[in-house]
Amino acid sequence: MSDTPFGFGLPPEEPEDGDEGKKKDQQGGGGQGPANPFGFGFPGGPGGAGGDNPFAAMFGSMNPNDLGAAFQQLGQMLSYEGGPVNWDMAKDIARQTVSQGTQDGVKDASVGPAERTAVEEAVRLADLWLDDATSLPSGAGSAVAWSRAEWVEATLPVWKELVDPVAERVGMAMGDVLPEEMQAMAGPLIGMMRSMGGAMFGSQIGQALGTLAGEVVGSTDVGLPLIPAGKAALLPLNIESFGKDLSVPMEEVRLYLALREAAHQRLFAHVPWLRSHLFGAVDGYARGIKVDTTKLEDVVGQFDPQNPEQIQEALQQGMFQPEDTPQQKAALARLETALALVEGWVDAVVHAAAKPRLASADALRETLRRRRATGGPAEQTFATLIGLELRPRRLRDASRLWASLTDARGVDGRDGLWAHPDMLPTASDLDDPDGFVHHEQLDFSELDKMLGDAASGSADKPNLSKDDEPGKGTDSAQDDQGEGDSDK
């Protein structure tokens, strides 16, 4: 996993034929030679398609004779005047990445009727099982089976909401590094740099999402609600790839993953504040990301329009860093804790529902946990897009805490903590789950009774008629006033 926030680029790979390949690359005009003045590489053409080239995915397997079309597309990128990320480019690259297939050679395919039926039946059965494991009612009004391309299309609006805050900071920094007296003179340059920044963000995010689409098995793999509440979504092709080496019947794999998807949907559908809480935590962390303006000033001062990859190289060197402040540390803890609580609750609830019914429940649970620990979709996505790598330890601690709460307080008492964010465990509680479970707690039933009595008492009080004048109440009210006077 890359340690560089936003995951900008990968080191160039050595040619398969060693030095001979390097010679061919040089002869073909790779790098910044006259045959390739912008330093772009095209698959099958000059320069190759190195992993550190943010534009290669845009051009596809292009013949060098189509260079004119490539320059036209470059002009479109430089003329982009939208937000901090060129999301049109991100979408196109994600779709192209999906169409190329995964590293194991599996290509995307449309979902057939049989697969759709299997997903719908799995989600329906999963919802029935979850009724015994949680007090939250069903949240999946419908179940859909998606191809990888459909996942990209459906989740892109949420990725935009997540990534734009960080990208906005970068775009502002690109315009602020020039001295104020030079900014008016360098207006076109600043505009071009911002357009290229949007293009580079779009390229990197598109590649990340296209790769992620080949791994995810549903809409909730990253712990955040990527689609509107009420719709459970699974990717049959990826489920098959996920389960092929597990020695577990595919029906059980599909059902276990349907349990996880349906559990997420219950939580987000019936805890109305949770979505804004999570996204607020992401935004709070993103606002603490700072740009190393010293590096950016060096790039701007030496910027060569014929070598736009200079910006890309600077990004690879770690231009983005979280601020080392108490506020940023608190934002990071808040985000990690919130995500861990969601994932831990789902893990505990799904295990409770699956354990009595699926022989492979323990094996599937551990497989998914290890998938996270070794760099699954959630960790890679956050590390790529906002520089955050989730710690698997938080997931296990949170799951243990929710299971202990179930034993101590029952299903209703456990799920009742989702009533308000202030009732949830904190980061320190995840360090000491037993302390949180067994500390003295409020008797919520007694509190409910008190509130009910108070409501009944106010309902029993006589209402004043419209003709009553202020200060003139019932006899009892007058008696109370008299008693108050006698006390003075």
Side-chain angles (χ1 to χ4, degrees):
M1 183 183 302
S2 172
D3 292 329
T4 304
F6 298 89
F8 281 104
L10 298 172
E13 297 179 357
E14 291 290 334
E16 293 182 359
D17 47 356
D19 293 337
E20 291 298 323
K22 295 180 181 178
K23 293 177 181 178
K24 292 178 182 178
D25 180 66
Q26 295 169 358
Q27 295 171 358
Q32 303 169 20
N36 193 352
F38 284 86
F40 300 145
F42 305 110
D52 58 348
N53 187 344
F55 300 100
M58 277 299 299
F59 301 120
S61 54
M62 179 181 296
N63 189 296
N65 294 329
D66 294 332
L67 195 58
F71 280 115
Q72 182 179 3
Q73 197 163 18
L74 175 61
Q76 294 173 354
M77 289 190 296
L78 295 181
S79 62
Y80 173 74
E81 297 180 352
V85 178
N86 189 331
W87 286 103
D88 291 335
M89 176 183 291
K91 177 180 175 181
D92 290 342
I93 291 180
R95 293 292 299 265
Q96 291 176 20
T97 303
V98 165
S99 67
Q100 294 170 5
T102 53
Q103 292 183 351
D104 56 3
V106 178
K107 300 281 187 179
D108 193 22
S110 299
V111 179
E115 293 171 317
R116 294 186 187 280
T117 301
V119 166
E120 291 171 357
E121 291 179 350
V123 172
R124 190 180 302 115
L125 181 57
D127 249 343
L128 290 175
W129 289 4
L130 287 172
D131 286 338
D132 296 332
T134 175
S135 61
L136 298 180
S138 173
S142 62
V144 294
W146 281 341
S147 65
R148 294 165 179 169
E150 289 173 321
W151 180 89
V152 169
E153 294 279 355
T155 62
L156 202 62
V158 175
W159 292 116
K160 181 177 181 179
E161 185 178 350
L162 287 170
V163 176
D164 271 351
V166 178
E168 181 69 32
R169 294 181 63 84
V170 179
M172 293 174 60
M174 281 187 169
D176 293 341
V177 293
L178 287 178
E180 185 175 351
E181 61 273 12
M182 293 181 58
Q183 290 188 12
M185 299 174 58
L189 176 60
I190 294 175
M192 183 174 68
M193 290 182 62
R194 286 180 174 172
S195 295
M196 293 189 64
M200 289 179 180
F201 269 103
S203 172
Q204 294 294 328
I205 293 167
Q207 291 173 355
L209 295 183
T211 302
L212 189 61
E215 300 175 350
V216 294
V217 295
S219 71
T220 55
D221 288 51
V222 299
L224 294 172
L226 297 180
I227 58 175
K231 180 183 293 184
L234 294 175
L235 283 71
L237 182 61
N238 291 356
I239 291 176
E240 183 177 353
S241 298
F242 170 77
K244 67 180 181 180
D245 298 326
L246 296 182
S247 300
V248 175
M250 191 56 63
E251 292 77 11
E252 292 195 20
V253 175
R254 184 188 303 111
L255 186 52
Y256 193 88
L257 296 175
L259 280 166
R260 290 183 54 83
E261 181 75 12
H264 273 101
Q265 293 301 329
R266 288 188 181 221
L267 194 57
F268 286 111
H270 300 291
V271 182
W273 54 265
L274 182 56
R275 186 184 191 279
S276 60
H277 180 74
L278 284 170
F279 281 72
V282 173
D283 184 66
Y285 179 80
R287 291 182 185 279
I289 294 289
K290 65 179 180 180
V291 180
D292 189 336
T293 55
T294 301
K295 291 183 180 179
L296 193 55
E297 287 173 356
D298 293 339
V299 174
V300 173
Q302 303 174 12
F303 180 72
D304 180 3
Q306 291 188 334
N307 185 19
E309 289 183 347
Q310 283 180 335
I311 298 178
Q312 174 76 4
E313 293 170 359
L315 297 176
Q316 287 178 306
Q317 296 172 7
M319 187 177 293
F320 310 102
Q321 301 173 351
E323 291 182 342
D324 188 18
T325 63
Q327 294 81 3
Q328 180 67 351
K329 291 178 180 178
L332 176 59
R334 178 184 174 216
L335 177 55
E336 287 184 334
T337 301
L339 290 167
L341 289 175
V342 170
E343 289 295 304
W345 184 88
V346 169
D347 180 80
V349 168
V350 168
H351 184 69
K355 177 70 172 176
R357 300 175 174 94
L358 294 179
S360 58
D362 288 333
L364 289 170
R365 183 191 201 187
E366 188 59 28
T367 297
L368 287 166
R369 283 181 165 185
R370 290 183 179 181
R371 188 180 187 221
R372 276 293 177 85
T374 56
E379 290 80 16
Q380 291 181 353
T381 300
F382 279 98
T384 299
L385 300 183
I386 62 173
L388 172 66
E389 182 177 341
L390 301 180
R391 291 180 291 174
R393 180 178 65 85
R394 301 285 82 182
L395 166 61
R396 291 181 181 269
D397 287 347
S399 179
R400 187 181 307 113
L401 185 148
W402 289 118
S404 298
L405 282 169
T406 308
D407 295 337
R409 307 185 188 182
V411 169
D412 291 342
R414 176 201 66 197
D415 294 345
L417 294 178
W418 290 106
H420 192 276
D422 290 344
M423 298 173 64
L424 290 177
T426 63
S428 60
D429 294 324
L430 292 182
D431 293 330
D432 182 22
D434 291 337
F436 178 83
V437 171
H438 298 297
H439 78 286
E440 184 177 352
Q441 55 180 296
L442 289 174
D443 187 341
F444 293 108
S445 60
E446 185 64 24
L447 180 60
D448 289 340
K449 183 177 182 300
M450 292 171 60
L451 292 174
D453 292 342
S456 300
S458 61
D460 292 339
K461 290 181 181 179
N463 295 325
L464 296 176
S465 67
K466 294 182 180 179
D467 297 331
D468 289 334
E469 298 178 3
K472 294 183 179 181
T474 62
D475 293 340
S476 60
Q478 294 174 355
D479 292 341
D480 291 340
Q481 181 65 36
E483 292 176 4
D485 292 340
S486 64
D487 293 336
K488 292 182 180 179

